[in-house]
Amino acid sequence: MHLLIFAILFPFLAAALIPLIHRRLGPLNIGWLVLAVPFILFGIFAWQIPGISSGDTIAAALNWIPSLGINFSIYLDGLSLILALLITGMGTLVILYSIYYLSPTDSLPHFYAYLLLFMGAMLGVVLSDNLLVLYVFWELTSISSFLLIAFWFHRKNSRYGAQKSLLITVFGGFGMLAGFLMLHTMTGTFSVREIVSTIGQYSDHALFYPAMFLVLLGAFTKSAQFPFHIWLPDAMEAPTPVSAYLHSATMVKAGIYLVARFTPIFGGTSAWFWTVTLVGLVTLFWGSFCAVRQTDLKALLAYSTVSQLGLIMSLFGMGSAALHFGDGEAGAVYGLATFAALFHLVNHSTFKGALFMVVGIVDHQVGTRDIRRLGGLMAFLPITFTFAVIGSFSMAGLPLFNGFLSKEMFFTASVNAASLPAFSAETWGWLIPVIAWTASVLTFVYCMIIVFKTFFGKHEPKKLDKKPVEPPFGMLVSPAILSILIVGVFFVPNLLGDHLLRPALNGVLPGITGAAPHISAWHGFNTELWMTIGIIVVGFLLYKYLRIWKKVYAIIPEGWTFNALYNKFLEALEENSNWLTSKYMTGYLPHYFAYIFGFFILAAGGTLLLTGALSIDFTTDTPIPSYEVILAVVMAIAAIAILFVKSRLTSVLLNGVLGYSIAIFFVLFRAPDLALTQLVIETVTTALFLLCFYFLPEWKPEKASKNLKIRNAIIAVAGGLTVTLIALSVRAGNLYDSISSYYEDAYELAGGKNIVNAILGDFRGFDTMLETLVLFIAGLGVYTLIRIKGGKETRKNED
């Protein structure tokens, strides 16, 4: 097995082993063992940096369903490497932080199993080269994040946030899957690399733009882009280590990664440029606008995450224009935006991860995250305050911190995009730097709120649940490392740029040279610097007079928010579902039969008539012997008579006539094994029917209206006629080719001399496998219910 394939599977294996080894550890926190998993994986990916930075790529594959072109194929280039390092590096720091943050009573085995499950799924997303394998891992991130967000499931808000995130991201995932299937229909391959190399032939295909927008739907929902951003703030009900991991460095970056990976496929088009850029800019502004009004620190960071993700998304949109111009000066100018996106992708993970951990420390040590209750904590939490300043000032884009460098590049890219000589940018391009600057002012304001509202001002102990003291040293290690990176990248940015950002840029904009600049903090008094100075001045004034202008938020009615619309939609969906269910779930068996047969008649009969498959030809039929006609008539009379008899005994006997007549037909058609089976089964069932019905109450005739009888008769006749027409038309084969060629080699492949046995062996084996799976799931459900019941009884006894 290739090392990188092992790297994806390793977290899943470790997650499966956690329950087995947890009880053997005694007082040892299982987090220390789990910590080794991301640390080892980070070492594996860090080992690949020299080769990837020199232009190498790594590919490997395991056969899965090769006949359908679906294999577990992975591909490591600069883009996937930078995400893999973030996933494993941040994973290491988050697990270390969680060891001190979480209580031993917090069901740690479940927490770390879910976290490792998510880690493996994210690695699968960024390393998969096969679209369908990527989709499997994509949805697995949604499921595992659902488990992590609902970790404190006894809280209503945790369950609500987990459900919202799952519904929105899975909805987008279904759309993305449809886009993937469209790409396969166009190109004939599921390989991302092959699609990138051949997509130029299909840019005029009818499915090109539908596939583009469906893929973007998946990316926008996962990365909380407007208007799908509403799930992210509610997901903050998860434990702080989950927020620091999922919502700053990993899960929300999956959509960003998807846009970056598919830029070589759809980039260079006006639709991709404007859709990604505008959605990103609107998300950037709306996230920063909503962040300022928050009174909970985690909610503030949630909206700031939405805003920063919009910034990165807009940069990838602007940078995609480089593919329109191709290699050259113009391509390099607009490709700078993509480089800035990758740079800010890394920077955001560092300062946002540090800030989430800082907020977690405040909540853990003080007992609240409510900004209205906080203040004056700098004297009690000086180390935590230092980390808060570093993270907040970096997010605000101030000098001496890495966020300043990528924010300056963002302004450069927005100014360049405003003068873009393509895609009608000369008309609307001026909006790009205006929105970028306005959102950045609001970003400065909420960064000041984090620092000054929390750590400065008057300290009021009566409003706090605990006396504030610095946390244990272990809880400070992870934010300290991130803070060092924030400052270190500012002073040596090209170490990151040359070894990670440039190779990643080649994966997003292949063939565009010169787009990766030499990173420096000083470029003179240019437009970008004046924009930053303006942000500081205006942002400081807005923060100072926050109470005055904050009244603008009251203008927006509560019922007009996206959260309100989401809640009303779910309520309406539930009400309508209940109404519809009550209409067809009547508890009356004949109604259910009517629905089933009615749907069958419409679906099968309609297909038969509308597709031209109806074709009946008796000219080539062999003559039907008289004894077969007599036998068929006997069966018809017996079947009809069952409907009108008034005795159970008579109906059972008539049903037996049908079964034994079928056995006679098997004998006539030279299938003695089937005839013998039919005779045995029919004898047993008839005897059982007679035995059981003997103890049942007297059979009373059913009183039904004339209209109901007419309806049932029509459905019965139409159903029988549909089956008859299908049976008579199937021989013509007008709609599909015959499948008989599939079984030409049945003797060699299946080892069956009888073709019927070979078919049964194939399909029954597959059916039995699925039945076994169903029974296994049902068994797990029963076992879980028993354990829950036992747990409740145990708690009652303890009480």
Side-chain angles (χ1 to χ4, degrees):
M1 181 184 295
H2 194 278
L3 181 62
L4 294 183
I5 295 178
F6 168 77
I8 297 175
L9 300 179
F10 185 35
F12 294 102
L13 177 63
L17 293 177
I18 284 178
L20 300 178
I21 62 177
H22 170 62
R23 294 181 180 179
R24 301 178 181 273
L25 291 178
L28 178 64
N29 190 321
I30 195 173
W32 290 109
L33 287 180
V34 176
L35 180 64
V37 176
F39 184 77
I40 292 171
L41 292 176
F42 181 80
I44 292 174
F45 289 109
W47 187 261
Q48 314 300 324
I49 293 177
I52 298 298
S53 63
S54 63
D56 297 337
T57 58
I58 301 173
L62 285 177
N63 287 341
W64 186 16
I65 315 175
S67 59
L68 298 179
I70 304 174
N71 294 311
F72 187 19
S73 54
I74 65 168
Y75 179 67
L76 182 69
D77 63 351
L79 178 61
S80 52
L81 177 62
I82 203 169
L83 267 298
L85 289 171
L86 286 177
I87 293 166
T88 54
M90 282 299 299
T92 303
L93 297 179
V94 164
I95 291 175
L96 176 61
Y97 177 83
S98 69
I99 293 173
Y100 296 92
Y101 182 87
L102 295 175
S103 168
T105 61
D106 279 330
S107 188
L108 298 181
H110 292 84
F111 175 82
Y112 289 119
Y114 299 157
L115 198 66
L116 290 178
L117 181 66
F118 176 83
M119 185 183 299
M122 275 301 304
L123 289 175
V125 167
V126 302
L127 294 175
S128 293
D129 181 57
N130 188 285
L131 291 177
L132 293 187
V133 176
L134 188 155
Y135 172 74
V136 170
F137 284 118
W138 182 275
E139 295 296 27
L140 194 55
T141 62
S142 296
I143 295 171
S144 52
S145 66
F146 169 83
L147 296 172
L148 285 167
I149 295 169
F151 179 69
W152 286 324
F153 57 86
H154 55 279
R155 300 179 181 177
K156 181 180 178 181
N157 289 339
S158 295
R159 299 194 302 271
Y160 173 79
Q163 181 196 55
K164 180 185 282 190
S165 69
L166 186 69
L167 289 177
I168 294 176
T169 57
V170 169
F171 161 74
F174 284 150
M176 186 187 74
L177 175 61
F180 285 174
L181 296 177
M182 289 180 182
L183 282 173
H184 177 263
T185 301
M186 284 191 293
T187 62
T189 180
F190 285 116
S191 171
V192 177
R193 286 177 295 162
E194 293 179 11
I195 293 174
V196 170
S197 63
T198 61
I199 195 62
Q201 309 171 23
Y202 308 100
S203 56
D204 296 328
H205 197 283
L207 295 177
F208 182 82
Y209 286 104
M212 172 194 297
F213 290 116
L214 287 171
V215 169
L216 285 177
L217 177 64
F220 291 162
T221 53
K222 186 73 80 173
S223 285
Q225 297 298 290
F226 184 92
F228 307 109
H229 64 284
I230 57 174
W231 69 264
L232 186 59
D234 289 291
M236 292 301 150
E237 290 296 329
T240 297
V242 174
S243 301
Y245 191 46
L246 272 67
H247 307 135
S248 66
T250 52
M251 179 179 172
V252 291
K253 300 292 174 63
I256 299 290
Y257 166 79
L258 194 73
V259 169
R261 180 58 76 194
F262 281 77
T263 293
I265 298 175
F266 299 114
T269 62
S270 174
W272 180 269
F273 172 84
W274 282 114
T275 303
V276 178
T277 302
L278 289 181
V279 169
L281 287 173
V282 171
T283 305
L284 166 64
F285 170 78
W286 187 250
S288 59
F289 179 76
C290 292
V292 175
R293 70 182 299 182
Q294 303 306 312
T295 56
D296 183 287
L297 281 175
K298 279 189 73 174
L300 188 155
L301 288 183
Y303 280 104
S304 74
T305 299
V306 171
S307 178
Q308 295 295 305
L309 292 172
L311 185 154
I312 300 170
M313 189 70 76
S314 66
L315 283 171
F316 276 116
M318 297 178 213
S320 67
L323 295 172
H324 172 78
F325 294 100
D327 193 19
E329 183 178 354
V333 168
Y334 297 111
L336 172 67
T338 301
F339 185 86
L342 294 168
F343 192 16
H344 202 71
L345 180 76
V346 178
N347 292 342
H348 175 259
S349 296
T350 56
F351 62 66
K352 188 56 64 68
L355 285 173
F356 269 116
M357 293 177 185
V358 165
V359 170
I361 290 172
V362 171
D363 189 19
H364 191 273
Q365 298 302 112
V366 178
T368 182
R369 304 190 304 259
D370 193 333
I371 297 173
R372 295 166 297 185
R373 299 170 59 187
L374 298 173
L377 295 182
M378 180 179 64
F380 303 93
L381 306 172
I383 301 176
T384 305
F385 164 72
T386 303
F387 299 153
V389 169
I390 293 173
S392 299
F393 285 8
S394 178
M395 184 162 59
L398 299 182
L400 301 182
F401 309 104
N402 59 359
F404 170 77
L405 301 177
S406 52
K407 186 66 74 69
E408 292 291 288
M409 289 186 181
F410 171 56
F411 291 149
T412 302
S414 64
V415 172
N416 291 340
S419 58
L420 182 68
F423 307 148
S424 302
E426 63 275 5
T427 303
W428 301 103
W430 61 271
L431 284 171
I432 297 176
V434 170
I435 296 175
W437 186 85
T438 305
S440 297
V441 170
L442 294 173
T443 300
F444 181 89
V445 173
Y446 67 68
C447 287
M448 297 304 103
I449 291 175
I450 294 173
V451 174
F452 291 100
K453 294 286 186 181
T454 305
F455 295 95
F456 288 84
K458 184 179 180 182
H459 174 63
E460 300 182 63
K462 294 181 179 180
K463 292 184 177 181
L464 305 181
D465 297 334
K466 301 178 182 179
K467 181 180 179 181
V469 293
E470 285 287 10
F473 174 77
M475 196 182 293
L476 296 170
V477 173
S478 294
I481 293 174
L482 291 172
S483 299
I484 292 171
L485 288 174
I486 291 170
V487 177
V489 169
F490 176 82
F491 289 101
V492 285
N494 291 290
L495 185 64
L496 174 67
D498 293 339
H499 293 88
L500 287 177
L501 300 182
R502 290 176 188 270
L505 180 65
N506 294 332
V508 183
L509 301 177
I512 305 297
T513 59
H518 179 79
I519 307 173
S520 59
W522 177 252
H523 299 91
F525 288 95
N526 55 11
T527 304
E528 294 83 345
L529 183 60
W530 288 114
M531 291 174 72
T532 299
I533 294 174
I535 287 170
I536 296 173
V537 174
V538 176
F540 177 77
L541 292 175
L542 288 178
Y543 173 75
K544 184 177 181 180
Y545 299 103
L546 184 62
R547 290 185 177 180
I548 298 176
W549 68 270
K550 201 174 181 180
K551 298 176 182 178
V552 70
Y553 291 101
I555 298 175
I556 305 175
E558 287 294 329
W560 288 11
T561 64
F562 287 102
N563 277 309
L565 293 175
Y566 168 84
N567 293 330
K568 289 179 181 178
F569 171 77
L570 287 189
E571 291 172 2
L573 187 65
E574 185 174 356
E575 291 177 2
N576 292 326
S577 299
N578 290 334
W579 175 84
L580 181 62
T581 303
S582 66
K583 295 300 179 183
Y584 67 84
M585 294 298 292
T586 61
Y588 190 50
L589 189 60
H591 287 171
Y592 301 154
F593 280 127
Y595 301 148
I596 294 171
F597 288 118
F599 176 79
F600 169 75
I601 293 166
L602 292 175
T607 302
L608 196 67
L609 295 175
L610 297 177
T611 59
L614 180 62
S615 176
I616 301 175
D617 184 11
F618 297 110
T619 58
T620 59
D621 290 352
T622 57
I624 301 176
S626 57
Y627 53 82
E628 291 183 6
V629 174
I630 294 173
L631 190 58
V633 171
V634 169
M635 292 180 65
I637 294 173
I640 295 173
I642 290 176
L643 303 175
F644 299 98
V645 297
K646 299 180 180 181
S647 168
R648 282 200 181 92
L649 178 61
T650 306
S651 65
V652 170
L653 294 176
L654 289 172
N655 188 65
V657 170
L658 288 174
Y660 288 116
S661 298
I662 293 174
I664 296 173
F665 265 121
F666 286 150
V667 173
L668 296 176
F669 294 152
R670 298 178 179 83
D673 52 343
L674 296 178
L676 179 61
T677 303
Q678 179 69 22
L679 287 171
V680 173
I681 296 300
E682 193 62 39
T683 301
V684 173
T685 53
T686 301
L688 290 175
F689 277 148
L690 291 172
L691 178 63
C692 294
F693 286 176
Y694 175 79
F695 297 99
L696 292 179
E698 182 183 353
W699 192 349
K700 296 181 180 180
E702 180 183 358
K703 295 181 180 180
S705 64
K706 184 177 180 180
N707 292 334
L708 181 61
K709 290 181 178 179
I710 293 174
R711 186 201 69 181
N712 291 342
I714 292 173
I715 292 176
V717 173
L721 181 61
T722 301
V723 173
T724 303
L725 292 176
I726 291 174
L728 294 175
S729 301
V730 73
R731 299 174 303 164
N734 289 348
L735 193 57
Y736 300 107
D737 295 333
S738 173
I739 64 171
S740 60
S741 59
Y742 182 77
Y743 294 98
E744 288 178 355
D745 300 326
Y747 179 72
E748 292 80 5
L749 296 176
K753 296 182 179 180
N754 186 315
I755 186 64
V756 176
N757 292 342
I759 294 174
L760 289 176
D762 279 351
F763 287 92
R764 285 299 300 167
F766 186 67
D767 184 51
T768 302
M769 182 190 72
L770 295 179
E771 289 174 351
T772 305
L773 180 62
V774 170
L775 291 174
F776 175 74
I777 294 173
L780 285 179
V782 173
Y783 173 75
T784 303
L785 291 174
I786 293 172
R787 288 294 300 272
I788 291 175
K789 182 178 180 182
K792 289 182 178 178
E793 292 178 350
T794 302
R795 286 192 292 273
K796 287 180 180 179
N797 294 333
E798 290 176 353
D799 294 339

